[in-house]
Amino acid sequence: MSTAKIFEIFQSLQGEGPYVGLRQVFVRFFGCHMHCFWCDTPESIGDTTGQYKDMTVAQVFAKIKALSKDCHSVSLTGGEPLMQVDFMAQLIPLLKKAKIPVYLETSGVLYQALGQVIGGIDIVAMDIKLPSSTGQRAFWKEHEQFLTLARKHKKHVFVKAVISSQTSRKDIVCAVKLLKQIDSQLLFILQPNTFDLEHGVVEKCDHFQRLCFESLPNTRVMPQMHKFMKIQ
Ligand code: SF4
C-alpha cells in the first residue's frame, strides 16, 4: 500500500476564511513546491527539515476517524497536499464512505493533480499567489485552470490572497481581472500577512478591498484567527 509523507495530524479550529471557528481534523502533508516569503508552516515545506512520518492510507484514515468526533470536516493541508495526489486519491474514497466532508487547502497551482481528485472534494480553499507577495513568478495561467476546474465540478470554492507590505496594486488588479472573468460573485479574501501587521498591511488591505469592490463585491478582509488565538 502506498504511503504519504505526513508532517502532522491534529484536531483544531479552522482559522482562515468563511469556515473560521469550525472544528476540523487537519492532515498536514509534508513538502511544498512553493517558497512563499511569509510561509507560516515553513517546517512543512521540506527545505530545511525532513521531519515527517511515512504513513499508509489505513494509518491516516484511522487517525482521522479517531479525531473526527464533533468535527465539521477534514482539512487536507500542507505544505501542498496535491503533491501527493496518488495518496489522496486512495484516502478520499474512505472519507466519503465515512461521510467525512473533505476540505482542500491548496496553493491553487497544480490543476492536473486537482483533476485526479476533484470529484471527492467538497470545499476548495484556494490561494492566489501574487508574485509581489510571494517573491516567486506569477501563476496566473495555472490559477485560471485550477479555478475553472473547481467551478466546473460545482465545488464550493473561495480564493485567498495574502497581502504583505510588498504586495503591489498591479498584482491585485491582475487577480481581480482573472477572478471576475470566472465568476464576479466569488468570495475573495484579502488576508493580511500576520508577520507584517506592523507595517501598514491592514491599511493596504482596506485600500485594496475598495479597489476590488468595483469588480468583486464579495471581497472580505480576514486575518488568520488561529494566530490571534495562539492555537495550532
Ligand atoms: S504554498 Fe503554502 S505551504 Fe507552500 S510555501 Fe507557500 S505558504 Fe508555505
Side-chain angles (χ1 to χ4, degrees), residues 10-74:
F10 58 98
Q11 190 199 85
S12 188
L13 302 178
Q14 175 56 246
E16 297 182 356
Y19 291 81
V20 155
L22 285 174
R23 188 164 290 282
Q24 290 182 315
V25 179
F26 291 82
V27 178
R28 188 177 301 290
F29 286 77
F30 182 84
C32 187
H33 62 124
M34 304 286 291
H35 299 86
C36 309
F37 278 146
W38 32 258
C39 181
D40 62 352
T41 54
E43 63 284 358
S44 71
I45 296 180
D47 279 356
T48 51
T49 65
Q51 292 173 358
Y52 60 83
K53 272 192 207 158
D54 279 313
M55 294 179 75
T56 65
V57 174
Q59 287 171 332
V60 172
F61 180 64
K63 184 97 191 201
I64 293 170
K65 282 279 282 176
L67 292 171
S68 65
K69 186 171 181 308
D70 300 326
C71 284
H72 169 268
S73 49
V74 58

Side-chain angles (χ1 to χ4, degrees), residues 152-188:
K152 187 174 148 202
H153 285 261
K154 302 194 185 316
K155 302 300 173 178
H156 180 216
V157 53
F158 64 92
V159 179
K160 176 193 86 192
V162 173
I163 306 301
S164 73
S165 50
Q166 289 100 341
T167 305
S168 70
R169 178 188 167 95
K170 177 172 159 261
D171 281 355
I172 293 292
V173 170
C174 285
V176 167
K177 194 173 160 205
L178 188 158
L179 299 181
K180 186 189 172 190
Q181 78 183 19
I182 293 172
D183 180 357
S184 63
Q185 295 306 311
L186 263 175
L187 172 59
F188 183 35

